[in-house]
Amino acid sequence: MRRAIGPTLAAFLVLALVALPGPSSGSPADPSTLVVGQNTGILITLDPAVVFEVEGVVIVDQLYDKLVDLDMVDGKIKVVPEVAESWTLAPDGKTWTFKIRQGMKFPSGRAVDANAVVYSLRRALRLNRPSIYMFNELGLTKDNAETAVRMLDPYTVQIVVGQSFAPDLVLAILSFVATAVVDPGVVEQHIREGELGSDWLKDHSAGSGPYQLMRWERNEVVDMVAYAGYWRGIPPVKRIVIRDIPEPSAQRIALEKADIDVAWNLSPQMRQEIRTAKTPGLAIVRVPGHGMEYIGMNVKYPPLAKEQVREAIRYAIDYKAILEGIMRGEAIPLQTFVPVGYLGHNPAMPFKQDLNKAKQLLAEGGYPNGFEVELATNAPHPTRPDVAQVIQNELAKVGIKVKITTSAAATVLGKYREQGLQMILYGWGVDYPDPDALAKPFADGTIRQLAWRNAWMDPKATDLTRKAMLERDPRRRVALYKELTELVAHKGPFAILYQITNNWVIRTYVKGFEQAAALGTFHFDYTKISKVRQ
Amino acid sequence: MNLATYVARRLALMVLVIFGVLVITFVVSHVIPADPVMAILGGNAPQEKVDALRRQLGFDKPLHLQFVAYMWGAVRGDLGTSLRTGRPVWDDIQQYFPATVELTVTAILLAIVLGIPLGVISAARRNQVHDHTARVFSIVGVSMPVFWTGLVLMLLLYYRLGWLPGPGRLDLEILPPPGRTRLLILDSLLAGHWAALRNALAHLVMPAFVLGYVATATIARVTRSSMLDVLYQDYIRTARAKGLVERVVILRHALRNALIPTVTVIGLVFGGLLEGSVLTETIFAWPGLGRYITTGYVTLDYPAVMGGTLYIAVVFSVVNLIVDLTYAFLDPRIRL
């Protein structure tokens, strides 16, 4: 036995010594490589016609050019040309003609032309995956893909939508990654029977975007390199490596060690620590997000059926305490449903805590002594359980006894969809950057969405939502949203608490991140980033 | 009972155990009040899409029909399609399991190499400094949560001292060897890619130690107590009386007999390692099956969770079967 253990131990020690590397291993020393630490366990596919998850959309956005793109101009989201250089709308309000930019090439050498654009959009419609519902609302479906999307000449594409929608709305939806232009020649090579190349496009790229996908090892790494033929020129960062580091603490350690340049998923608490400790070499980037947190009040529950009671609850909430105490300044004040940066954003802040007014309104509504109500939310969640407790405390001050129930997100959503909750604390994420994406769920009770889930139906709100959707004059459209947001703010079944923000922690030598991230998930632009080594 | 009957009985028992695991995972994942369709589509999707997907996935069928369908598939080696990734669960398992094997096998080897000497020293120097140190080490090992040990070690060995690399299986600069087996160590050896081999080993040390720590402690404690038992036996006294050097008495005479319980416990803790890999893989960004199953839990991806669990159950049963058969072969008394 002695003979057996001795050599084993010796062999192990030698092995360990050989294995020990120098301290610098894994460091992204090369200034042309950007290393991002991120939880990539949520990535499912990189096929632009299928992808719907935030993290996946951000990656796909680097690999492909879309028909049109988004940019932030003076703090407002604007649709800008990308593959389409210009466009015109016929007087019928439905027929769009897009002029395709000449001189763009796929890595295969084929031209990015009208044929490729039509092929890609038809493919996305035919696949008919969940993300395509937005296109369906424009009247573009898998059944009319052939007739609605057509090539007029090698550099002209015609898209006919179902109604004369507000032009901004159509363009906002066309800026989604489902219009990313794929190389038809490459995709055709990989089509198997009964599918449209999705299996292959899941982890390969066939686009003309600034980067090409080198490899995606699931739960390990996504590796992208700059495409030398990119029409806007090669970006400063030549390689983007997204390393899968699911645990936020491990992400933070790797960032502090400068083994990664960007930490994608630190917790609000960690960011707070980094902010207060003023850790040298680290910077926090914050941009307005596309979503909000709100309280939903089901009007089927008798006390909440009274307009005065809902208004009383809005006056009983201490918005400031939530923003500062729980969100620690990482949220943007918002009380109407169109967020900051959007066309038609309404900056009105009609509610601040006023307990006397709340009590008076409760009395007017017929509940002078309050009532009992259940507030549902999901756990685990970094902030919602805390916010729910604040709400519970404050409503208690006017006699409303709140019972908090928490369960998994999918469970809460399941009951919510059946109008089965009394009150809910939840969030709403926007699918396309246009006020219509908010008006439909928050105001139109005929669509089985948020207003419906709270059993709230208001013919005037429905009417305004439809009018605004079809209003072709942007100024009149803004006026319609002002009227609609105010109506919903006071009569609707919601108390909007705040707009979310997106937050990253980066090394200070990473420049341009704020510009790259300005549109958050709708257009994340890695080409604006550079690395400057001090 | 002869060996053949014994093997047959054990195999039948194994099938029964695996069927049990299948039933339990199926029932647990279908009675918890959570809706996978909602988890896939999120909060925004319109109702028609929700209903369509529910029909498409067969969730509108009665539970017993779903179970029969799943069973029938499993028997033919079809574990269904992951709700989240849309890929066959079997493909996913093949992708992620090698990383787990590499981690758990290294962990158990580390645990054996560290645990047995620790136990022997403890017993030989009973109630002396060595023994106390080893015992503290063991108690810490059994009582510390894996994620805590993991983070502390990462802070110390990776962040402060820089002796070991951080999360993941390989550094960015190192290109992985061609994946024949998807076991990085083996692939690097086969390809003669020494840089990858060194790097992969360096990446293995910390997670394998963290994962194997509990096992190390258990092995050390079992070795110590059985060693102590043996050291009081008559034949040890005889050996000493013959004037043998203490080291020879302990290593040649005592240890050989004392190791039998240790071997038993190694078989048992190996199953624990497979479970423990769930947390370790998350902390150290290890792309293994444990991580796959956890993500499956969070996203209510039942086929992934059931398939992954079933697979681990099968592997665990096979390992146990091999251990037991080895015993039965070596020691006929066990077959009785």
Side-chain angles (χ1 to χ4, degrees):
Chain A
M1 212 60 216
R2 179 184 174 190
R3 258 168 280 149
I5 283 188
T8 317
L9 206 60
F12 174 71
L13 283 176
V14 169
L15 210 63
L17 284 175
V18 171
L20 292 179
S24 69
S25 75
S27 132
D30 181 359
S32 64
T33 299
L34 185 80
V35 186
V36 179
Q38 193 177 332
N39 179 1
T40 68
I42 31 227
L43 285 184
I44 297 171
T45 174
L46 301 179
D47 180 347
V50 179
V51 70
F52 206 17
E53 306 71 41
V54 169
E55 288 72 13
V57 167
V58 168
I59 293 172
V60 167
D61 201 14
Q62 317 307 317
L63 306 174
Y64 296 88
D65 288 316
K66 299 174 289 190
L67 185 64
V68 292
D69 206 354
L70 296 167
D71 202 358
M72 194 62 100
V73 184
D74 302 328
K76 284 220 159 60
I77 300 168
K78 285 260 157 32
V79 174
V80 295
E82 190 153 274
V83 172
E85 189 171 45
S86 63
W87 48 83
T88 51
L89 175 58
D92 69 353
K94 297 198 267 191
T95 311
W96 289 77
T97 309
F98 292 88
K99 276 282 166 205
I100 305 303
R101 190 181 301 277
Q102 305 218 3
M104 291 175 73
K105 286 217 174 339
F106 289 112
S108 67
R110 266 182 289 265
V112 178
D113 55 11
N115 177 46
V117 171
V118 169
Y119 179 88
S120 306
L121 190 49
R122 283 181 181 169
R123 176 177 175 273
L125 293 173
R126 278 193 205 125
L127 274 169
N128 197 31
R129 300 299 292 262
S131 66
I132 296 304
Y133 93 88
M134 304 182 253
F135 293 80
N136 297 347
E137 293 195 354
L138 287 183
L140 302 173
T141 63
K142 69 176 193 311
D143 301 322
N144 69 10
E146 307 291 322
T147 50
V149 182
R150 282 169 33 202
M151 176 171 101
L152 297 188
D153 68 51
Y155 285 93
T156 312
V157 170
Q158 188 187 66
I159 298 177
V160 184
V161 296
Q163 288 183 67
S164 59
F165 293 104
D168 289 312
L169 164 61
V170 175
L171 291 171
I173 290 179
L174 291 179
S175 74
F176 186 67
V177 286
T179 68
V181 184
V182 298
D183 186 335
V186 174
V187 175
E188 286 292 326
Q189 279 169 24
H190 296 97
I191 286 185
R192 292 185 326 183
E193 203 186 335
E195 58 107 57
L196 298 171
S198 268
D199 257 1
W200 189 79
L201 280 175
K202 221 175 230 184
D203 43 18
H204 294 84
S205 65
S208 57
Y211 295 92
Q212 287 178 269
L213 185 67
M214 291 309 289
R215 62 187 183 120
W216 168 29
E217 295 288 342
R218 285 171 175 75
N219 285 356
E220 225 170 331
V221 69
V222 181
D223 202 338
M224 295 182 273
V225 289
Y227 164 40
Y230 183 53
W231 63 285
R232 284 187 177 109
I234 300 184
V237 166
K238 310 276 185 297
R239 184 178 170 209
I240 301 168
V241 181
I242 298 172
R243 287 186 58 178
D244 178 61
I245 308 180
E247 168 60 35
S249 312
Q251 236 179 60
R252 182 176 172 185
I253 295 173
L255 181 74
E256 297 207 2
K257 179 112 177 121
D259 271 359
I260 58 175
D261 302 318
V262 176
W264 206 276
N265 314 98
L266 297 195
S267 67
Q269 197 194 337
M270 285 176 193
R271 289 193 293 267
Q272 167 94 348
E273 283 163 21
I274 290 168
R275 240 192 315 267
T276 44
K278 295 206 170 56
T279 314
L282 299 187
I284 294 178
V285 175
R286 176 189 312 157
V287 304
H290 304 271
M292 64 200 66
E293 295 279 311
Y294 68 90
I295 300 274
M297 298 175 265
N298 190 335
V299 307
K300 277 207 306 202
Y301 183 56
L304 297 175
K306 299 272 185 192
E307 242 171 73
Q308 296 94 326
V309 171
R310 300 200 298 270
E311 192 82 339
I313 289 175
R314 285 189 278 260
Y315 276 108
I317 295 170
D318 188 350
Y319 300 88
K320 219 175 141 205
I322 295 172
L323 280 175
E324 286 164 15
I326 296 172
M327 298 312 295
R328 298 168 199 270
E330 286 195 346
I332 299 170
L334 182 78
Q335 292 184 351
T336 52
F337 67 70
V338 181
V340 175
Y342 280 61
L343 177 109
H345 164 63
N346 182 347
M349 293 287 157
F351 308 105
K352 64 171 199 266
Q353 195 176 39
D354 185 341
L355 296 176
N356 288 330
K357 191 162 184 178
K359 279 181 195 157
Q360 188 197 325
L361 281 162
L362 271 181
E364 282 172 28
Y367 291 89
N369 303 317
F371 54 90
E372 284 182 17
V373 66
E374 270 185 26
L375 174 65
T377 194
N378 67 310
H381 187 275
T383 54
R384 278 176 201 157
D386 296 338
V387 175
Q389 280 188 11
V390 171
I391 305 269
Q392 185 183 43
N393 283 337
E394 282 153 8
L395 295 193
K397 292 176 190 163
V398 297
I400 302 173
K401 283 196 204 70
V402 175
K403 189 182 159 219
I404 300 172
T405 58
T406 55
S407 30
T411 312
V412 178
L413 281 176
K415 285 192 194 150
Y416 193 24
R417 277 176 183 278
E418 294 160 3
Q419 302 185 328
L421 299 172
Q422 295 178 352
M423 278 221 282
I424 182 172
L425 167 62
Y426 218 76
W428 176 256
V430 181
D431 285 337
Y432 50 97
D434 185 89
D436 181 64
L438 297 137
K440 281 199 183 107
F442 278 101
D444 188 349
T446 63
I447 297 169
R448 289 176 62 141
Q449 262 299 358
L450 301 186
W452 185 87
R453 291 179 199 174
N454 288 292
W456 185 71
M457 204 83 78
D458 183 309
K460 190 165 180 214
T462 303
D463 186 46
L464 281 170
T465 304
R466 298 215 170 135
K467 265 195 191 136
M469 179 180 86
L470 299 171
E471 178 55 62
R472 283 157 70 183
D473 175 356
R475 251 194 234 157
R476 281 211 292 270
R477 199 165 176 236
V478 168
L480 287 171
Y481 281 120
K482 185 163 189 293
E483 194 184 345
L484 182 58
T485 47
E486 267 156 26
L487 186 152
V488 174
H490 290 287
K491 292 184 181 281
F494 308 103
I496 291 169
L497 302 175
Y498 56 84
Q499 179 176 351
I500 59 158
T501 55
N502 296 325
N503 300 269
W504 295 266
V505 185
I506 61 172
R507 302 290 313 183
T508 42
Y509 53 70
V510 175
K511 302 294 177 197
F513 196 90
E514 191 139 358
Q515 289 73 30
L519 284 146
T521 50
F522 284 120
H523 175 48
F524 194 99
D525 191 353
Y526 272 108
T527 64
K528 290 185 175 151
I529 295 178
S530 56
K531 258 170 88 173
V532 190
R533 275 283 186 195
Q534 291 100 335
Chain B
M1 191 177 358
N2 64 22
L3 197 57
T5 331
Y6 179 74
V7 171
R9 211 183 62 172
R10 282 301 319 262
L11 276 173
L13 222 60
M14 195 176 111
V15 170
L16 212 65
V17 165
I18 289 166
F19 179 75
V21 169
L22 207 144
V23 173
I24 291 169
T25 48
F26 184 88
V27 169
V28 167
S29 44
H30 284 79
V31 297
I32 56 168
D35 187 346
V37 174
M38 228 54 87
I40 298 169
L41 292 176
N44 294 14
Q47 189 65 39
E48 309 85 71
K49 298 261 177 198
V50 175
D51 296 338
L53 186 63
R54 179 162 290 130
R55 269 195 305 278
Q56 188 195 323
L57 295 174
F59 288 155
D60 53 342
K61 296 202 185 81
L63 209 57
H64 64 273
L65 289 184
Q66 290 185 47
F67 180 73
V68 170
Y70 187 75
M71 270 291 297
W72 178 229
V75 168
R76 290 173 304 153
D78 173 13
L79 296 174
T81 306
S82 159
L83 300 181
R84 203 176 65 83
T85 66
R87 306 199 310 166
V89 171
W90 179 241
D91 287 4
D92 282 344
I93 290 175
Q94 279 177 309
Q95 169 152 14
Y96 296 121
F97 194 60
T100 301
V101 168
E102 205 157 48
L103 182 61
T104 42
V105 169
T106 314
I108 198 83
L109 288 178
L110 261 178
I112 293 169
V113 167
L114 293 176
I116 293 179
L118 219 59
V120 172
I121 293 168
S122 268
R125 304 243 192 287
R126 193 181 176 199
N127 289 332
Q128 294 172 24
V129 185
H130 287 96
D131 186 22
H132 295 314
T133 321
R135 245 189 297 176
V136 169
F137 176 86
S138 302
I139 290 169
V140 170
V142 182
S143 49
M144 280 303 162
V146 165
F147 63 85
W148 195 82
T149 338
L151 284 176
V152 166
L153 281 185
M154 211 192 279
L155 264 177
L156 185 72
L157 298 176
Y158 161 61
Y159 181 66
R160 288 266 175 240
L161 299 173
W163 290 356
L164 288 172
R169 269 177 110 186
L170 267 190
D171 281 354
L172 289 180
E173 293 87 349
I174 311 253
L175 278 180
R180 274 172 245 187
T181 59
R182 298 192 77 93
L183 295 163
L184 268 185
I185 308 274
L186 203 59
D187 284 344
S188 316
L189 277 173
L190 289 175
H193 191 336
W194 308 120
L197 180 66
R198 276 169 58 116
N199 196 256
L201 282 171
H203 274 273
L204 252 176
V205 175
M206 226 187 325
F209 176 76
V210 169
L211 178 60
Y213 192 8
V214 180
T216 311
T218 315
I219 291 173
R221 281 165 63 210
V222 170
T223 310
R224 178 181 182 272
S225 66
S226 80
M227 225 13 218
L228 284 176
D229 275 353
V230 173
L231 283 177
Y232 287 104
Q233 303 281 326
D234 288 344
Y235 71 93
I236 296 294
R237 214 172 35 204
T238 315
R240 282 194 179 126
K242 279 198 301 189
L244 285 177
V245 196
E246 184 67 9
R247 185 189 293 176
V248 177
V249 173
I250 288 174
L251 293 182
R252 195 165 297 171
H253 293 251
L255 183 60
R256 201 168 286 185
N257 289 311
L259 274 183
I260 291 173
T262 309
V263 174
T264 321
V265 94
I266 289 171
L268 288 174
V269 290
F270 184 72
L273 288 189
L274 286 172
E275 291 161 29
S277 69
V278 172
L279 275 177
T280 316
E281 284 176 6
T282 307
I283 298 162
F284 289 97
W286 204 261
L289 195 55
R291 174 89 195 288
Y292 175 70
I293 296 176
T294 350
T295 320
Y297 270 122
V298 175
T299 53
L300 305 181
D301 186 352
Y302 297 151
V305 173
M306 290 191 291
T309 314
L310 192 66
Y311 190 74
I312 286 188
V314 171
V315 171
F316 186 40
S317 305
V318 170
V319 168
N320 266 328
L321 182 70
I322 293 171
V323 169
D324 287 357
L325 290 183
T326 319
Y327 276 7
F329 181 71
L330 292 176
D331 187 351
R333 279 177 301 176
I334 288 174
R335 270 178 258 157
L336 293 173

